[in-house]
Amino acid sequence: MTQAFKTFGVIGGGAWGTAIAQMLCRDEQDVILWCLEQEVADAINTAHENTLFLPGVALKPALRATTSLADLYDLDALFAVAPAQHTRKTLAALKGHIAQGTPVVLCSKGIELSTGKFMTEVLADELPEASPAVMSGPSFAIDVAKGLPTAVTLAVKDESIGSELIQAISTPTFRPYLAGDLLGAEIGGAVKNVLAIACGIALGKGLGRSAHAALIARGSAEMTRLALALGAERETMSGLSGLGDLVLTCSSETSRNMSCGLALGRGESLDSILGARNAVTEGVATAPVLRQLASEHDVDMPICASVAAIITGEISVDDAIMTLLMRPNKAEGVQA
């Protein structure tokens, strides 16, 4: 029988981490949000607003922020929301300070650039005593923070812990659906960011909504090919953490990845785009390692590979578009 979860730690004081902490914070639950920046923690604790990453959203006064990971020791459950390339460092700081079986819910969407590992593999390296879970789905931080209706996948290794977590985190407007395919949920979350850059490029170049829709559909096929090659489930790719997140991220400028693509399509340089941002655009780091992963498993992912080539400066946006348009015609399907 699992315990009732009453104390939660959220690692990462960006927009998404703040939104999750806001969602978790209620009368019967205590939440501590770890922030890298002292000014962010101070603003949350005094003004009850994350003025840097989630401005304009009134946060619950009971939400407490800290810059010390030690304040997250020995809590009932943790949500890891630091950017994918920083997840290992934050998890490593918790070594020896969480109880056996403590749920660690991975909310970052990406692949570690230095190792090619997904976040569940990073968690296994750093905190093998944790009970892993992945939360992913179509969910903009601003919507969750404001309490707007949102549904996500909560993929867990231990179903009993998953059921208990769902009871603890669900609200009338935040609906997690229990699943067991952690890898599939991670693949959907990582790949959709790269595809969102492609969709943004297409719209930024003025290629029209028909091309945009085609990229989403063919991108979904690429995502599914990779998932099947790595042993994930096809059904996951058509669910909230697959198709659901793909459609949202590829269809709104609220997505940092799509807005990055829009700017690239309009002729801005990647350096200038990223230099003007205070938040991480996960797809930029994910694209090159995703291309390598697909190559290692002999999975054809031409859209994602083109984004990687643009990101690394190997090809121009115009040449990438022409290369995709000149590909041979094939029968439609996941294997095509």
Side-chain angles (χ1 to χ4, degrees), residues 92-301:
L94 298 171
K95 281 183 178 179
H97 298 291
I98 70 168
Q100 184 73 32
T102 298
V104 176
V105 184
L106 299 159
C107 304
S108 305
K109 299 176 179 179
I111 305 170
E112 191 172 48
L113 187 58
S114 60
T115 64
K117 291 184 175 183
F118 287 96
M119 296 301 100
T120 47
E121 297 173 293
V122 173
L123 177 62
D125 287 346
E126 301 300 334
L127 296 174
E129 68 272 29
S131 180
V134 174
M135 191 170 77
S136 187
S139 48
F140 283 148
I142 189 69
D143 294 342
V144 173
K146 288 183 174 180
L148 298 177
T150 307
V152 298
T153 296
L154 181 68
V156 296
K157 185 175 182 179
D158 185 320
E159 186 175 343
S160 63
I161 288 179
S163 298
E164 192 76 29
L165 272 173
I166 280 183
Q167 290 183 33
I169 71 176
S170 63
T171 72
T173 58
F174 189 82
R175 296 179 54 82
Y177 286 76
L178 190 62
D181 184 12
L182 282 76
L183 177 59
E186 287 197 278
I187 291 170
V191 177
K192 61 93 182 181
N193 284 333
V194 180
L195 294 171
I197 295 174
C199 286
I201 289 172
L203 292 179
K205 288 294 293 184
L207 301 185
R209 288 290 175 178
S210 298
H212 173 241
L215 281 171
I216 292 176
R218 295 312 304 160
S220 178
E222 291 191 14
M223 180 188 296
T224 303
R225 281 199 294 270
L226 180 66
L228 295 177
L230 296 182
E233 299 171 11
R234 182 186 295 268
E235 185 179 13
T236 305
M237 296 301 103
S238 60
L240 289 165
S241 61
L243 181 61
D245 208 3
L246 176 65
V247 170
L248 179 69
T249 310
C250 292
S251 302
S252 173
E253 289 188 50
T254 301
S255 159
R256 292 190 296 271
N257 294 283
M258 186 177 178
S259 64
C260 175
L262 281 165
L264 286 170
R266 292 167 181 160
E268 296 182 38
S269 72
L270 183 62
D271 286 343
S272 66
I273 297 166
L274 299 182
R277 300 183 169 201
N278 62 14
V280 173
T281 304
E282 291 276 28
V284 172
T286 299
V289 69
L290 177 61
R291 177 174 60 172
Q292 179 62 32
L293 184 66
S295 175
E296 290 171 358
H297 292 270
D298 196 26
V299 177
D300 189 27
M301 302 183 74

Side-chain angles (χ1 to χ4, degrees), residues 325-331:
L325 291 175
M326 294 300 292
R327 281 172 57 82
N329 293 336
K330 296 182 178 181

Side-chain angles (χ1 to χ4, degrees), residues 29-46:
Q29 295 176 179
D30 294 324
V31 182
I32 303 174
L33 174 63
W34 176 82
C35 308
L36 178 64
E37 303 86 354
Q38 185 66 54
E39 62 269 29
V40 171
D42 290 342
I44 292 171
N45 289 330
T46 58

